[in-house]
Every structure is written in structure tokens, then in C-alpha cells.
Amino acid sequence: MRMAYTACKSASKGVACRYPARPGSPRDKKEKGMSTTAANSPATEINADGPTSAEEPVEGSNEGHGGGSRRLSLFVPEPEFRPGDTPDFSDVPIPKAGSVRRPPIDVDAGDIHDLAYSIIRVLNRDGEAVGPWADLLTDGELVEGLRDMLRVRAFDARMLMAQRQGKTSFYVQALGEEAIACAFRRALKPGDMNFPTYRQQGLLLSTDYPMVDMMNQIYSNAADPLRGRQLPIMYSSKKHGFFTISGNLATQFMQAVGWAMASAIKGDDKIAAGWIGDGSTAENDFHSALVFASTYRAPVVLNIVNNQWAISTFQGIARGKAATFAARGLGFGIPSLRVDGNDYLAVYAVSKWAIDRARANHGPTLIEFVTYRAGAHSTSDDPSGYRPKAESEKWPLGDPIERVKAHLIKKGAWSEERHVQANAEVESAVLQVQKQAERHGTLHAGDKPSAREMFEDVYAETPAHLIRQRQEAGL
Amino acid sequence: MIEAVRDAMDVAMGRDENVVVFGEDVGYFGGVFRCTQGLQEKYGSDRCFDSPINEGGIIGAAIGMAVYGMRPCVEIQFADYMYPGYDQLTQEAARIRYRSNGDFTVPMTVRMPTGGGIFGGQTHSQSPEALFAHVCGLKTVIPSNPVDAKGLLIASIEDEDPVIFMEPKRLYNGPFDGHHDRPVTPWKNHELGDVPEGYYKTPLGNAAVRREGREVTILTYGTMVHVALAATAETGVDAEVIDLRTILPLDFEAIEKSVRKTGRCVIVNEATKTCGFAAELMSIVMEGCFYHLEAPVTRVTGWDTPYPHSQEWEYFPGPARVGEALRNAMEAA
Ligand SMILES: Cc1ncc(C[n+]2csc(CCOP(=O)(O)OP(=O)(O)O)c2C)c(N)n1
Ligand SMILES: [Mg+2]
């Protein structure tokens, strides 16, 4: 049995789990030697991975081996493909849909270590839902899910264009990652609280949160619920279980655990969800969250969205050649699962499992959603400077919208025509809302929140020094 | 100014193998502001590399390397993101010389873009220089132009103590005088945009007089130097504009000489007001120049609120506010 993780140890240039060594490469030889020692138990596999940096320059190195003469050198991980290269993921191990078991929700973390190294998938390449994680959603719910994702994509496209037209300063898309927030949201109950990053607009766009308010916020216009104070896309809505987004990475991950601990202290039945990107798992707050969550068995679901990139930095910089992101949870005794983040059904099933587990007071779960950031990091970024243009098309997990669509068509619950129509409906609805929002102004045109409002909400009651400053500003 | 900063690191790395550069996105890509572009290619990935997103880690690692004997020059992507590294900076880097009686020292430089003016909202606009200046053992540098940026950065890298090097990001692409509605003028049309080639140092602790004047002294640094010059031109007040360049070490002589001459002083910083560096400057002026003053010393600063997004220009202390302060200083008896 060679699981995804076993192959990842062969990663050439430190690219980690995604890329096994090319046949015949020096690393490949090294890997073959190692694979004979790799046992099936994940714990043994970790050991088999051995030291990384010290082993790197073995082949072709003219330094002596094993003796005292060998000099140290710094290992700096590099992605397999850079601009100009032809990305090829054909040898990336993707476990078969339906092949990963589904444990009971009160399982011990120690009994499911393998789930942190595999990828839970439901939709197979033929569009069928298979295996123990399948069949949790009705066709009607799936059609709603599909519409949610279409809405996120259409919303992103409009707002991206609005930014290009100078109607706002900044935008962040979730292109290719729509399934994750949308399906997770479906598994939550009212009153649960998300502590999101800037890439979980799907959490709001799949609820009844008014889309126009999101646009008003993006435009910092007169109707902006956040009164022009926040950078675009940094939404906030307690009512919709969406904690105010911070620009400082990872802080929310720990706060989610605190919220969950409060729910436990108060004997409530609400759970929290923390969200973080692959790159941001490097921050201290990520580790703080794991230690608190495991210590107090907090009713929290800790979500890592591994979209392979953190601005220009590939995921290997956040974890080197070590294990998977999900595996970070194992040392804390937190059940840790890896999921195909582009598979709406799998995302829903695993989210539901973890949410049910938290609500049943069995404690935290760490989930790694494996996906790919198909767009630029933000409107301030141009990925052609650091990764091949074709990389996102070549990404082996496909497009989340296309996959649900194919599944529904296969089942006879959907058709190309209905899809085209649904997409047109969504796009026109988004456009209508955009017009409505723009009546309240855009960043540099029309009405905007008053300057006076920048002095409000610094404190519950405005202290004397701020009143003086406001007067000095003539406001 | 981006090129000047890059050039400084290039020169420093070329002269001294102990200079290493790392931080978030600084390696292959060359930094989100492109300040390290080409350095990895030129010096190899063990001298210029991407780091994990962990500011405490970046600064802690730089301390470790400095203690080993290297001269790391690391980047924090925005000054607003230095806080997770604040413990390493203030409790460690700043005091290692003192607590080891000079046995261990930390000759490292921490670069970070600072200030607003780019619609970056509250987490891409802060000016936390006072939080560094308040810490004993750190030096804090804030250039206002490319020529200084290069000379000061080389001097910072070669300094024996930890230096915080704050780059006003609104100045990256040209001098910005606060008139946000006017087209950007590039550095190439500015005399201080003409950066000398090769190695040179601008010593830390020397202020520069950007404009000589007789009526009032403006003490400022970074972006606000250009705002102060614009306000001076627009009000017709004959102000002496002093660009401090480094706020620690501070050029007391330049400050006192000028204020004693003019008898009036306006202090300008973009950061929030309460306990901002302007407050320190004001104390220094009161301590050193009280009997020479003909008007109350005043300060123009950002308001004591988080940096707002859409109200950016109501927040930013632009030339209108500085001009008003100048007129008030002149009208005072
Ligand atoms: C404390 C902090 N450091 C650095 C940044 C700058 N920054 C913003 S997004 C980002 C990359 C985050 O990547 P990842 O966590 O993978 O999330 P993704 O953008 O891929 O969703 C960085 C470095 C920040 N916002 N906050
Ligand atoms: Mg990422």
C-alpha cells in the first residue's frame, strides 16, 4: 500500500507531497531505497522520512559521506515548476474516490492517523458519488450548492472587474475554491460562528446575507455596513456567523478556539469554525490554536485551506518536506482529515462529520482542504511572475463547479441547458445587485460614509482626546 | 526608491558574504514591492530566500544568524505585520548586547514598508515607529528619498546593532506631497532620485535640512518631508524643513540649532498622535529651546483612530493641515 504521503517523500527539490521524483532522477534512486524501508503504518513512514536538509546534497556532491569533512548547506525548498516550465501533475497520487474509510465521530485521533495522509474524495472521474462519505445530500440540496458556487464565481468576476474599473481599491477572489466555504456553510447550524479569512466569501454568499451589503462594503460607499473603515472584502456579520475579518493573518484561528471554549463553558450547543490558509499555518497562532483546542477539547473545527500557494510562496515553504498540513494535528491528538476541496460532496461530508463531532462534545477536528488557487492572490498580485500560467488548468482535482454539474447530469437531475440558464440567472442577479449598490456610490465616486464616522467605534464612548481631534478636523 | 533599496542590498551582499536577505515572498519573486528582485538569482537561494509566514520566526532567525556572526537584512512585508515579531525584537534583539555584556551582538536590519496613502486600510497603512523608538537598544531609520534610502540602508546593514529600517511605501514610486488628486511624479525627475552607483553610506543620526528658512522649523521624516515642503511652498511661510532621517539615533544638534534660530516649531508625523514620535520631539524642543521660543510648539499627526479605508485623505495629515499649523505658528505672538 503506497499512500499519497509515501509518494510525497520522494519529492524532488522539496516540493513535498504533490510531486514524486521523475524516473531516473537522483532523488528517484534515493526514494527507491527509502521506499523499501517505509512500512505501512503512518507513524513508521514519518520516521522513514528521516532528516531532510542534511541529506539533500548527497548525489553529485563532492563532499565526503559520513566523515567529518562534510560541510553543511542550507536546504531551501523549491516548487517543481516555475514560469516557462510545463506543469505536469500526471504522476501526483490522487487516491481513488470512495477509497477512504469513514470512522465514527467519537473516534480516537490515534486510530485514524492514515486519514491525515490520504485524500477523502466522493466524486469519481465519471461523476459518480461513491464510497462511505457519499449520499448525504439530496439532489435538491446539490442543485442549491451548485447555485451557491455559481453565485460566488459570478460575484467574484463582477467585483474583480469593478476593481479594474477603479470602483474600489482591492479585491480577492476564491476562484477554484468555491466548494469549500459553500459546502462547509451548509453543514453548520444557525448560531455557529466562523472565524474566516479573506477567501471565504462563500460563507456569506451561501446564506441570506444581503449581497448588496457585501458590494457596499467593497465600494466603501454610503451604505457600507462597516462605514468605509475596512479594506474591501473584510466583511463582518455576527448575525450570519461571520466574524470580522482581520488583515493580520492567522489571528482568527486562535480566536475561534476561544469562542468554542466559551460555548463549552456556558453549556451552549454552538460550535466554532476557524479558517486559515496553507501559508498562514506557519504563524504562531496556528500552533496556539491546536494546543488550546486539544487541551480543552474545544468544540471547534479547524479548517486549513491548502490552495498550494501563499502569494508567491508555494506550500513547501510552510511545511518543508514534512508530512501534510493535516498531519500537524496528530501530535496534538486532534483527529485530522484531508479532503478533496474541489469535491463539494466530500467537503460537505467531512465538514458535517467534524461539526457533528464538535457538537457532540467529542472535541476539535483539523481538516485540510486540498485545492488550488486558480486566480491571482489578490488584485495586487500577478502570478505569472512565479508560476506557470497553465498550472491551474493542469491541477488534477478539477473545477468544483464542473464536477458537481457533471454529477447532477449523470444522475439525470440536471442538464447543460439548465446549467446555462442557472448561470445566466445568477449572473444577471449579481449585475442587478451591483447596480443597486452603485447607486450608493463607489470608492471614488458618489456618496460615501462621512469622515466623522472614522472617529466612531474606536471606543464604546468616544473619549475626550478623540472628541478634540474630531473638532480639530472640523467634523 | 524600490531600486535604491534593492541596490543597497545588492551592494551590501556583494561586499560581505555574511549579508543574507529573507522574508515572505522575497526570494524567487523578489518581494511584493519588488525590493529584492534579482537578488536570489545573483547570490543564490541560501543568501536570499522565502521564509514561512511567521514574523517572529523571521526576526528570531535573523537574531540567531546575527549572533552566529552574519548580517541578516530581513523583510517584514508590511510594518503592520511586525507585531508577531515584536517580542523577538524588543525583548531579545534590543537587549542581547546589554544582557551578555557585549559577548553576543545582533547586527541585523529589519526592513518594512510603512505608512499610508495607498488605500490599504488599517492593516497596510500603519506607522509604528514610536513603538520601536521607545525600546532601548533598537535604532530606527526612515528615509524620505532614494539617495538617502540607499546610503542609510547600507549603513544600517553595517551597523553593529539591530536597526529597524522603515520604508515609506507611498514614496516607493515617487515623492508624494499629499496632493493625492495630482498625477504621481516619478523619482527620476527629482534630484534625490538620482542614486549614485556603488558603495556609499549615509551615517545614522544625521538630519538633513531640506529647505533652509528663517521663520519656523518643521521637524519631520519620511513621506511627511514632502508634505511639509508642499505646505511651505503653498503658505509662503519661510520654513526650515528638517528631515530627521533617523529617529534613533537622533540629531539633537540639528534640531536645536534650527529651532533656536527660527523660534517656532511645527512637528509633523503621519502616525497617530498620542505617544507618537512627535510627542518626543516636542519634549526635546521644550527641554533644549524653551527660552528661544516665540510660539507654542505644535504637531500635525494622524488621528488617534485605526487607519480608515475610504476616509484615507481625511485621516492623512496633508499639506492643508500642515499649512494651517504653519500659519498658526506665525500668527502666535
Ligand atoms: C501577519 C501577516 N503577515 C503577512 C501578511 C501578508 N500576507 C497577506 S496574505 C499572505 C499569504 C497568505 O497565504 P495563505 O495563508 O496560503 O492564504 P491564501 O491567500 O492562499 O488564501 C501574506 C503573506 C499578513 N496579511 N499578515
Ligand atoms: Mg494559500
Side-chain angles (χ1 to χ4, degrees):
Chain A
M1 186 182 78
R2 291 288 305 278
M3 290 185 305
Y5 175 62
T6 313
C8 83
K9 289 179 303 188
S10 64
S12 136
K13 289 203 270 170
V15 182
C17 279
R18 285 161 51 197
Y19 322 101
R22 295 197 171 114
S25 76
R27 251 13 101 57
D28 188 46
K29 287 177 209 139
K30 188 175 134 199
E31 159 63 16
K32 278 182 185 137
M34 283 169 58
S35 68
T36 58
T37 63
N40 285 344
S41 119
T44 320
E45 287 182 43
I46 298 171
N47 295 334
D49 205 12
T52 49
S53 55
E55 277 189 13
E56 266 315 294
V58 170
E59 290 288 330
S61 160
N62 51 17
E63 310 281 355
H65 291 186
S69 63
R70 186 170 164 196
R71 296 273 183 96
L72 299 169
S73 66
L74 187 71
F75 173 66
V76 180
E78 265 298 319
E80 188 85 340
F81 308 111
R82 285 297 194 185
D85 296 340
T86 307
D88 177 5
F89 299 114
S90 58
D91 47 5
V92 173
I94 305 288
K96 275 179 94 153
S99 65
V100 179
R101 69 200 163 103
R102 181 172 175 197
I105 58 167
D106 60 352
V107 71
D108 241 29
D111 295 335
I112 55 164
H113 276 196
D114 51 323
L115 269 61
Y117 296 99
S118 191
I119 302 182
I120 297 166
R121 306 176 67 238
V122 169
L123 290 175
N124 68 17
R125 294 197 193 277
D126 299 324
E128 294 153 346
V130 294
W133 297 88
D135 299 325
L136 298 183
L137 291 166
T138 65
D139 290 351
E141 286 169 325
L142 274 176
V143 169
E144 277 176 37
L146 182 59
R147 278 182 183 278
D148 289 342
M149 291 194 286
L150 288 173
R151 196 176 308 117
V152 174
R153 192 162 292 184
F155 183 89
D156 277 355
R158 295 295 324 170
M159 293 296 97
L160 191 67
M161 197 188 302
Q163 193 276 344
R164 294 209 176 111
Q165 293 166 339
K167 292 174 179 172
T168 187
S169 55
F170 180 76
Y171 192 69
V172 173
Q173 317 176 73
L175 188 67
E177 305 175 30
E178 294 90 345
I180 298 165
C182 291
F184 188 88
R185 175 76 245 181
R186 183 168 295 278
L188 287 172
K189 290 205 170 135
D192 293 340
M193 186 63 77
N194 287 287
F195 288 76
T197 80
Y198 43 78
R199 228 180 280 285
Q200 274 85 51
Q201 53 267 59
L203 291 174
L204 285 176
L205 285 165
S206 55
T207 64
D208 59 351
Y209 185 80
M211 189 192 288
V212 68
D213 281 344
M214 295 174 72
M215 292 190 183
N216 290 333
Q217 197 280 327
I218 289 166
Y219 288 145
S220 277
N221 66 18
D224 173 5
L226 305 182
R227 314 314 302 139
R229 294 185 198 129
Q230 264 283 47
L231 193 70
I233 62 102
M234 302 279 185
Y235 318 107
S236 173
S237 176
K238 188 186 280 183
K239 194 171 150 212
H240 293 81
F242 195 94
F243 181 69
T244 160
I245 296 177
S246 171
N248 299 65
L249 294 172
T251 48
Q252 74 283 354
F253 213 58
M254 181 61 237
Q255 294 158 356
V257 179
W259 196 98
M261 288 168 65
S263 183
I265 292 167
K266 301 294 282 184
D268 203 343
D269 62 355
K270 310 285 188 291
I271 67 112
W275 294 84
I276 201 165
D278 48 299
S280 307
T281 61
E283 291 281 11
N284 296 5
D285 285 322
F286 172 77
H287 304 86
S288 307
L290 295 190
V291 73
F292 273 73
S294 78
T295 300
Y296 299 107
R297 290 193 198 157
V300 64
V301 181
L302 296 168
N303 295 321
I304 303 168
V305 180
N306 175 8
N307 62 8
Q308 315 298 321
W309 289 93
I311 313 186
S312 76
T313 305
F314 88 116
Q315 53 154 343
I317 294 289
R319 64 181 177 77
K321 291 179 74 176
T324 61
F325 286 103
R328 294 269 149 105
L330 299 181
F332 293 92
I334 298 177
S336 303
L337 291 72
R338 268 180 113 217
V339 194
D340 178 346
N342 292 14
D343 178 340
Y344 188 96
L345 285 78
V347 171
Y348 176 80
V350 172
S351 304
K352 178 94 172 61
W353 186 92
I355 290 165
D356 288 350
R357 175 181 161 82
R359 213 180 305 280
N361 217 23
H362 298 311
T365 303
L366 183 68
I367 306 177
E368 175 184 346
F369 296 102
V370 182
T371 182
Y372 186 88
R373 196 195 78 209
H377 169 73
S378 73
T379 49
S380 310
D381 175 48
D382 174 10
S384 69
Y386 52 81
R387 68 183 191 190
K389 280 211 172 68
E391 208 181 82
S392 84
E393 292 149 34
K394 296 281 171 67
W395 177 245
L397 293 178
D399 180 83
I401 292 179
E402 291 303 317
R403 285 174 69 188
V404 173
K405 175 187 155 194
H407 171 64
L408 284 168
I409 290 176
K410 182 107 190 174
K411 284 175 100 180
W414 197 239
S415 66
E416 284 291 346
E417 299 72 46
R418 287 180 70 184
H419 191 80
V420 170
Q421 193 194 341
N423 198 34
E425 281 165 17
V426 166
E427 282 178 356
S428 106
V430 171
L431 190 60
Q432 287 313 308
V433 175
Q434 187 182 13
K435 287 188 179 146
Q436 196 188 332
E438 291 184 6
R439 282 200 280 277
H440 300 288
T442 57
L443 181 58
H444 301 296
D447 296 337
K448 58 184 233 163
S450 75
R452 189 187 159 97
E453 285 177 273
M454 81 174 138
F455 289 100
E456 284 160 20
D457 290 316
V458 183
Y459 299 91
E461 262 177 66
T462 306
H465 73 288
L466 269 183
I467 293 173
R468 282 185 175 209
Q469 289 181 26
R470 195 179 67 207
Q471 286 163 351
E472 194 187 326
L475 299 165
Chain B
M1 195 152 102
I2 291 164
E3 294 74 18
V5 167
R6 186 191 304 145
D7 194 16
M9 285 184 274
D10 189 359
V11 168
M13 291 174 93
R15 286 169 62 93
D16 183 354
E17 284 195 344
N18 286 316
V19 179
V20 287
V21 167
F22 60 99
E24 295 157 19
D25 299 291
V26 311
Y28 182 88
F29 186 54
V32 295
F33 288 102
R34 319 321 306 278
C35 290
T36 56
Q37 197 176 17
L39 297 180
Q40 182 176 78
E41 206 180 349
K42 187 163 174 185
Y43 296 102
S45 63
D46 57 352
R47 290 191 59 203
C48 176
F49 51 90
D50 289 330
S51 78
I53 303 172
N54 185 314
E55 292 75 13
I58 293 169
I59 293 169
I63 294 173
M65 292 179 196
V67 158
Y68 178 93
M70 299 188 80
R71 288 190 182 272
C73 175
V74 298
E75 175 177 303
I76 299 295
Q77 201 161 82
F78 284 83
D80 316 57
Y81 303 142
M82 67 85 184
Y83 301 97
Y86 199 58
D87 183 33
Q88 286 284 355
L89 264 183
T90 64
Q91 309 305 297
E92 301 298 319
R95 299 200 206 131
I96 284 173
R97 175 187 297 282
Y98 192 79
R99 79 184 192 212
S100 71
N101 195 25
D103 192 16
F104 291 99
T105 60
V106 185
M108 72 168 184
T109 305
V110 183
R111 296 177 38 245
M112 57 185 81
T114 186
I118 61 155
F119 278 95
Q122 56 185 271
T123 57
H124 303 92
S125 307
Q126 297 167 35
S127 298
E129 66 272 14
L131 298 181
F132 302 125
H134 191 60
V135 177
C136 324
L138 298 179
K139 295 183 178 178
T140 302
V141 178
I142 311 175
S144 71
N145 61 76
V147 171
D148 281 2
K150 180 172 171 185
L152 289 167
L153 183 51
I154 294 176
S156 301
I157 292 171
E158 294 189 353
D159 198 273
E160 296 306 324
D161 285 309
V163 180
I164 313 299
F165 192 86
M166 307 182 78
E167 300 164 11
K169 66 179 87 70
R170 182 62 213 231
L171 298 183
Y172 273 148
N173 296 320
F176 175 66
D177 64 7
H179 286 292
H180 53 90
D181 40 0
R182 296 182 192 164
V184 182
T185 54
W187 278 115
K188 70 171 161 38
N189 303 334
H190 194 284
E191 55 172 347
L192 291 171
D194 192 11
V195 179
E197 273 181 34
Y199 177 81
Y200 68 93
K201 282 207 281 193
T202 305
L204 308 187
N206 282 4
V209 178
R210 296 291 169 213
R211 181 190 189 281
E212 286 191 24
R214 282 165 298 128
E215 295 182 318
V216 49
T217 298
I218 305 180
L219 300 180
T220 189
Y221 47 87
T223 309
M224 292 299 136
V225 169
H226 305 278
V227 174
L229 289 168
T232 303
E234 287 155 23
T235 53
V237 172
D238 186 18
E240 181 145 295
V241 179
I242 300 207
D243 176 356
L244 295 170
R245 304 201 282 197
T246 69
I247 63 171
L248 203 149
L250 189 63
D251 191 341
F252 286 88
E253 262 171 53
I255 294 169
E256 287 167 2
K257 188 171 151 222
S258 178
V259 177
R260 285 177 190 168
K261 175 177 81 174
T262 61
R264 292 178 160 85
C265 182
V266 171
I267 302 163
V268 188
N269 75 210
E270 187 184 339
T272 49
K273 185 171 189 177
T274 302
C275 297
F277 197 70
E280 181 63 28
L281 290 170
M282 193 177 261
S283 308
I284 287 164
V285 170
M286 298 310 283
E287 285 165 353
C289 313
F290 184 81
Y291 294 106
H292 299 263
L293 289 174
E294 290 166 41
V297 183
T298 57
R299 55 190 154 150
V300 184
T301 70
W303 308 118
D304 283 342
T305 75
Y307 212 115
H309 177 249
S310 80
Q311 298 95 338
E312 172 129 56
W313 302 121
E314 285 87 3
Y315 180 91
F316 184 91
R321 281 179 60 206
V322 178
E324 195 189 324
L326 289 178
R327 278 190 293 265
N328 288 342
M330 293 314 297
E331 277 159 24

